Amino acid sequence: MGLWVEKYYPLGVSILAAFVYFLVFDLVSPKFTLENFLTTLISVSSIILGFLFTAMSILYTIQDKDIVRRIRSSGGFTQLISYMLRAVNGCLLLAVYAGCCLLFGMEKTDKWFMIFLLLLIVYSIATSYRAIHIFYRLLHSGGLGD
């Protein structure tokens, strides 16, 4: 995957999903309790946040490894940290948005509320997947995962 695609696909996929949902919103309605769903989103986002922060701390503790030194010298370490921070920001924004919706009683299925919620969900999943996938590849390519 090219660097440009790797960098921007989470945002592109999120916007595409939100646009498709905008087009079919009147045909599709949630079949679940939105209040429980928002609570679950907060929990899952918090768990992913914890994992991402743990992964970042692991990266800082293995800086003396050869693979990390090579990635750092090529500028890839900064990019990896940037990807992880985007995933953290996405999950944090999702948790805060879901929390505010619960706090202010916005559990109704308003079209724009649901579109923005879907956009945040897909963005958080895509950025988290990207960061976790690259972190996994880093650990295994350096012989750290064995």
Side-chain angles (χ1 to χ4, degrees), residues 33-144:
T33 308
L34 206 50
E35 183 176 344
N36 292 338
F37 183 67
L38 292 173
T39 305
T40 303
L41 280 178
I42 293 169
S43 299
V44 170
S45 294
S46 300
I47 291 167
I48 294 171
L49 277 170
F51 175 80
L52 289 168
F53 279 124
T54 302
M56 287 172 63
S57 67
I58 289 170
L59 280 175
Y60 283 112
T61 60
I62 62 171
Q63 288 189 26
D64 61 333
K65 300 290 184 185
D66 186 47
I67 187 73
V68 177
R69 276 191 252 130
R70 281 187 284 157
I71 291 172
R72 188 177 278 283
S73 67
S74 70
F77 189 80
T78 305
Q79 188 68 38
L80 176 58
I81 296 299
S82 172
Y83 287 165
M84 288 190 157
L85 288 176
R86 285 188 188 140
V88 164
N89 289 338
C91 289
L92 187 60
L93 185 58
L94 177 60
V96 168
Y97 182 71
C100 288
C101 291
L102 282 173
L103 184 64
F104 298 117
M106 296 174 57
E107 301 97 22
K108 61 182 189 228
T109 55
D110 177 62
K111 184 175 190 172
W112 293 107
F113 160 77
M114 293 298 291
I115 289 170
F116 189 65
L117 182 64
L118 179 68
L119 182 112
L120 285 177
I121 291 169
V122 173
Y123 182 76
S124 296
I125 290 170
T127 54
S128 297
Y129 172 77
R130 176 182 63 190
I132 291 167
H133 181 71
I134 293 172
F135 180 70
Y136 175 79
R137 284 193 339 219
L138 169 69
L139 290 179
H140 278 277
S141 69
L144 302 172

Side-chain angles (χ1 to χ4, degrees), residues 1-14 79 83 86 123 126-127 129-131 133-134 137:
M1 157 179 352
L3 182 60
W4 191 89
V5 173
E6 179 181 274
K7 199 177 216 180
Y8 295 109
Y9 86 84
L11 185 60
V13 168
S14 303
Q79 188 68 38
Y83 287 165
R86 285 188 188 140
Y123 182 76
T127 54
Y129 172 77
R130 176 182 63 190
H133 181 71
I134 293 172
R137 284 193 339 219

